[in-house]
Amino acid sequence: GAWKGGLRFQVSAALKEGRVTPTELCQRCLSLIKSTKFLNAYITVAEETALKQAEESEKRYRRGQPLGVLDGIPIAVKDNFNTAGIETTCASNMLKGYVSPYNATVVQKLLDQGAVLLGKTNLDEFAMGSGSTDGIFGPVRNPWSYSRQYKEKSVPKSHSEDKDANWVITGGSSGGSAAAVSSFTCFAALGSDTGGSTRNPAAHCGVVGLKPTYGLISRHGLIPLVNSMDVPGILTRCVDDAAVVLGSLAGHDPKDSTTIQDNFKPFELPNLTDVSKFLIGIPKEYHAPGLSSEILALWSKAADLFKNAGAKVIEVSLPHTRYSIVCYHVLCTAEVASNMARFDGLEYGHRSDMNKSTESMYAATRREGFNDVVRGRILSGNYFLLKQNYENYFIKAQKVRRLIANDFVKVFRSGVDILLTPTTLSDAVPYMEFIKEDNRTRSTQDDILTQAANMAGLPAINVPTALSERGLPVGLQFIGRSFQEKQLLTVAKWFEKQVKFPTIQLEEVKRHNHGVFQHQKSASFS
Amino acid sequence: AARGCGGVWRRAWQRGGGGCPAPTPRGQRAVSCNARGGAVPAGKSGLAPWVPVVGLEIHAQISSNSKLFSGSQVQFAAPPNSLVSFFDASLPGTLPVLNRRCVEAAVMTGLALNCSINKKSLFDRKHYFYADLPAGYQITQQRVPVAVNGRLSYSLCIDNKMSQMVTKTVRIKQIQLEQDSGKSLHDDTRSQTLVDLNRAGVGLMEVVMEPDMCCGEEAAAAVRELQLILQTLGSSQAVMAEGQLRVDANVSVHHPGEPYGVRTEVKNINSIRFLAKAVDYEIQRQIEELKNGGTILNETRAFDSKLGCTVPMRDKEGKQDYRFMPEPNLPPLILYDAKSLPANMNHQQVVNIDWIHERLPDLPSVKRAKLVEQYGILPEHSFILLNEDGLTEFFENVVKQTQMKPKKVIGWILKDLLSYLKQHSLTVKESPVSPFLLADLLNLLEKKEISSTAAKQVLAELWKGEGKTPLEIVKEKELELIQDQKELEQICQAVIDGQENE
C-alpha cells in the first residue's frame, strides 16, 4: 500500500504540492502520540517546539523554499541523543531532568534540514538492555500487541486473566523509536545500535532498522554505551526512507574523530530487477541454539527467494562468531565502567543529599542514580580493567574481536556481497514472559545474531519479512561490506519488495487516517 | 647513556634541631654529590656509603591557544570556570578532538631532547575519581607515547665554582601527551570543595627522566636546562610559579652493588631551588631512616617549602588501580616524515616530523657554543647569559653598539648589570638602563673619556632612570678625563702651590 514503499516521498510530495501542511502533519502525529500513549514509546513529547518547527517549515514551503526532502517531516529521537532545550534522560534517574545545552550532530543535521522533532523515545536505562523494559519510565509496549493481526491469533489462556496481559515487548534498547515508527506517530526515528539495539526492536516491531558502518555517522552527542561499537541507528517504515535519512546524516564530523574523512554522497536506491550478479552468503553459525523453527524456515525461504531470482547463494562460515557474546560482555562492560565514571553528581545530573564526604556523595549518587543493570556492568567492567585482569580479559577480548572481524573480511574477500541472517531468535515475547529472566541473560541471548556486525563495524539492516504464527513481525538481517551501504540497501529494498510485509492494523491509526490524509486512502489499514 | 652519576653519598651529618623530622643543617648545603662521577669510599666515620638515585617526572603545560582536546582558550588566572567547554566539563556525549598544535609542541620537544618520535602513538584512559577530574578519567598516553628514548645534557658546577663545570646526561624515557586536571579548592571551615575547570583539559607533556641523577643539584640543573629548552622552542612557557612546569621527584637510596632501594615520590615542588632542597632533604631523610633501622615506605610525600622538609601526603585511598584502557574515541595518532607523507594529503591534517625538525630553533647548548665562539667569552659566562631571560639579547645589543671588546663587555653585564638587577629583584626587561645607554657609557670608557671609576659613578646615576644620557651625567658631574697636557699641568701646579702656601 501507499504507506509502504516510499512513504517519505509521498508525504514529501504532498507537502510540496500543499496537499498537507507541515503543521497539519505535525498535529496529526502529536494527536496520534496522545492516543497511543499506552505504548509508552515517548519519554518527552516536545509539542510546543515541534509545532514551532512545523510552522517555520510551513513558511518555507509557502515561500517555495523547502530545505529538502526532510523539511516538515516529523521525527522522533531516542532519549540518549542530546537535544538542546529538550530533556535528555537516558531513562535513568541519573539524568532525569537533565537538559543538554547542545544538539547531537545527528539531531542538528535533521533540524538543519527542516525535520520536525516530536520528542524523545523510551529505552532501556543508558541503552543497556534488549527489551526496552529496564528504564525508569517503564517498559515500552509493542504496537503489534494491539494489532488486529495479533489479537486474532492470541487466545487468552483463561478468561480471568487480564486481556491486556498478553502484550509483547518491543525489543531493545531502541524500543521507543521502533514503536514510534511502527505506530505511525513519526515518519522516522533515530535509535542507537551497539549490539543490535536498533535492529532487534525493528525486527520485533516490523520496521526497517539500519545500523550503518561504524564511522559513517557522527556519534557526537550520542550518550555512549560502548564507544567502539556505538552507531546511530535509523528506524523507518521502508528501506527507501532509511536511505534518505542516511543520506542526511552521513559524513565526516569534525567533532567526532572516528568519523571517516571521505565525502559521502547521498544516494537514491535503484529498483533492482535482476539480482543474479549478487553472491549471498548464509553464515551457518547463525543457525544458533534457540533459533525458532519458524524463523529458520523463513530464513531458508528468503535464501530460496534469492536463489530463484538468479542470485548465487552459498553457505559461509564465521567460525569466531560463537565467541562474540563473551567477548562483547568484557569489552562492553569495560567501556561502560569507564563511560559512566563521569556521572559523579558534581557537574550535572542527579546528586545525592549525602554530604559526609566527597567519596560518600559519589557512592550515594551513583547508587541512587543507576539501576542494577548499569551498576552490575560498571562493577564487572572495572573488574576486567584491574591491572591483574587486564591481560586475561580485556586484551584477550580485543584479540577475539579482531578474529571475529577478520572472519567477515575473509568472507567478503571470497566474493560474498551480502550476508543474510535472522535478526532475532524468535518473534517478540510477552512482557510477563520476558521479565522472568534477568537483563543480562536476556541481552546475551537477544544480541547473539546482531552483535558481530558491531564487533566488525559493518553495516547491517533489519527488513521486516513476515508475520509469525502469532501474528507478530519477524525480520531478517542483511550484513554488508564496510561503507557499502548503497549495495546493502539496494538488495534490502529488492527483498522488501518481494516479501510484501503486511501493514500493522491498529485501531488508533485507523481513526487518525482521515481528513487531510485522504489522498493516502489507498493505504489499507483494514 | 651512562647509567647513574656514580655519586656516592658519604657525608656524615649532624642532627639538626627544629621542627623538621630530619637533619638538614641550617644555612648550609647538606648535600653535595660527587659531580666528577665515580664511587667515593666511605668517609672517615666508617659509615657504609649510600648511593642516592633520583628520577624525575615533569609535567610541562603546552603553550597553545586552546586545550588539548577542546576549543576552550588556555589562559592563566582567568575568572574561575570561564574557560570551560562542554567537553571540558565532560557533558555526556561530548568527544575529544586532538589539538594539532599540542602534537607539534610535543614532537618539537621530543626532537630537542633527542627522542625517537613514534609515528604511531596511542591514547589511553586513566581512571580515578576526583572532584577536578570531571570525566572520572584522564586521557593520557600510557602504552605508546609520542616520543621515547631521548637524552638531555645539562651542566652544573662543582662545589659551587663557576669555573669547574661538568656536563652530564640524563636519559629521557618518554614524552607523553595528556590532559591537565582542573583545580580543587578545599574550604575546610565551610567543609566544601570549590572546583575550577579552567585548567581541565589543557595540554600537558609529561617528560619522564630516568633515575640517572644523584642529588638535588643535578636534578635542579637538569630541570633548568629542560626549562630553557622548552622556552626556546616555545612549546611551554615553563614558568614553575604559574604551574606550567611541575616536577615530581622519585628518590631512593641504596648501597653500591645492591639493588635500588624503595623509592618515594616527592610532590609539591614549585621552584627549581626548592627542587634541589626537596631532593636533598629526602635523600638525607631516607639515609637517616635506614641508618636507624627503619624502612622506607613506597609513598608520596609533599615538600613543605616553609619547613624545608618532606611530609607524607594524605594518600587518597591507599594504592590506586587506574584501570587503564584504550581511549576509544581517538584513532591512533599518526605522524609522518618526508618519506611517508602521502602525496595528496591535506597539509592541515598531518604533522610532518621532518618539517618540524628543519625548523627547530638553536637550542641552549648550541646558543652557548656560538656565544663562546663568536665573542670569545668563557663557557661559564655563556651559561649565565642564557640563564637569565633576555640577558643574551641585552649583551649582544650592547656589543653591537660599542667598540669595547665583548670579553670586556661581559664583565659589565655580569658584574654590574646582573648584580644590580638581582639586588632590586628586577628582570632584564625591567632594567632601567637600556643596552643603548650601557653601550654609550662603555664607549666613553673605551675612548678613555672617563675612567672606569667614573664609569661606575655614571652607571650609578643611570640606574635612577632619570632619562639623562651618560654624556650628560659626565658633564654634569665633571667626570671627564682631562686629556689636555697644559690643563693638567696647571691643575698640578695649583695643587703644589696650595701645599706650599700652607
Side-chain angles (χ1 to χ4, degrees), chain B residues 101-119:
Chain B
R101 154 69 192 163
C102 294
V103 176
E104 287 172 340
V107 170
M108 232 191 267
T109 307
L111 291 170
L113 297 179
N114 308 293
C115 292
S116 19
I117 305 297
N118 280 324
K119 290 207 184 118

Side-chain angles (χ1 to χ4, degrees), chain B residues 329-350:
Chain B
N329 294 321
L330 289 167
L333 169 56
I334 307 290
L335 304 175
Y336 297 91
D337 56 19
K339 263 191 215 157
S340 63
L341 191 70
N344 53 353
M345 203 74 162
N346 180 355
H347 279 273
Q348 298 288 32
Q349 299 284 346
V350 296

Side-chain angles (χ1 to χ4, degrees), chain A residues 102 221 338-339 342 348 382, chain B residues 90 92-93 125 127 137 323 329:
Chain A
Y102 75 99
S338 175
N339 288 333
R342 68 188 56 212
Y348 43 79
N382 277 321
Chain B
S90 80
R125 291 181 179 181
H127 299 88
Y137 56 81
R323 292 157 286 132
N329 294 321

Side-chain angles (χ1 to χ4, degrees), chain A residues 385-402:
Chain A
L385 288 177
L386 285 177
K387 205 172 176 188
Q388 76 213 56
N389 296 332
Y390 187 74
E391 284 285 328
N392 283 336
Y393 291 95
F394 192 82
I395 294 288
K396 272 194 187 151
Q398 276 194 317
K399 287 179 179 168
V400 173
R401 180 180 183 177
R402 173 69 66 192

Side-chain angles (χ1 to χ4, degrees), chain B residues 245-273:
Chain B
L245 196 70
R246 280 163 259 160
V247 183
D248 300 334
N250 291 311
V251 177
S252 70
V253 299
H254 65 281
H255 290 303
E258 286 177 13
Y260 282 8
V262 176
R263 65 178 202 194
T264 59
E265 187 179 12
V266 185
K267 288 179 179 274
N268 259 14
I269 304 168
N270 51 26
S271 78
I272 289 183
R273 200 164 51 90

Side-chain angles (χ1 to χ4, degrees), chain A residues 82 95 98 100-102 214 218-224 227-228 254-258 261 334-335 337-339 341-344 346-348 358-359 362 366 382 385-388 390 394 398, chain B residues 86-98 124-125 127-137 143 186 191 193 195 197 316-317 321-331 349:
Chain A
N82 282 274
L95 284 178
Y98 174 70
S100 170
Y102 75 99
Y214 184 86
S218 170
R219 291 180 295 113
H220 172 254
L222 165 62
I223 298 178
N227 304 281
S228 63
K255 291 180 181 143
D256 178 357
S257 307
T258 63
Q261 304 273 347
E335 283 198 36
S338 175
N339 288 333
R342 68 188 56 212
F343 298 102
D344 57 11
L346 286 186
E347 281 82 14
Y348 43 79
T358 309
E359 285 72 22
Y362 286 158
R366 291 162 69 77
N382 277 321
L385 288 177
L386 285 177
K387 205 172 176 188
Q388 76 213 56
Y390 187 74
F394 192 82
Q398 276 194 317
Chain B
F86 299 154
F87 174 79
D88 304 329
S90 80
L91 295 198
T94 53
L95 299 170
V97 178
L98 183 57
D124 304 283
R125 291 181 179 181
H127 299 88
Y128 60 93
F129 281 105
Y130 207 70
D132 53 29
L133 187 76
Y137 56 81
R143 289 166 299 164
H186 303 287
S191 89
T193 300
V195 179
L197 294 180
K316 281 165 197 163
E317 321 148 16
D321 189 321
Y322 291 119
R323 292 157 286 132
F324 284 101
M325 73 163 220
E327 167 56 65
N329 294 321
L330 289 167
Q349 299 284 346

Side-chain angles (χ1 to χ4, degrees), chain A residues 216-235:
Chain A
L216 186 61
I217 299 191
S218 170
R219 291 180 295 113
H220 172 254
L222 165 62
I223 298 178
L225 176 58
V226 185
N227 304 281
S228 63
M229 297 183 208
D230 291 342
V231 182
I234 297 165
L235 296 116

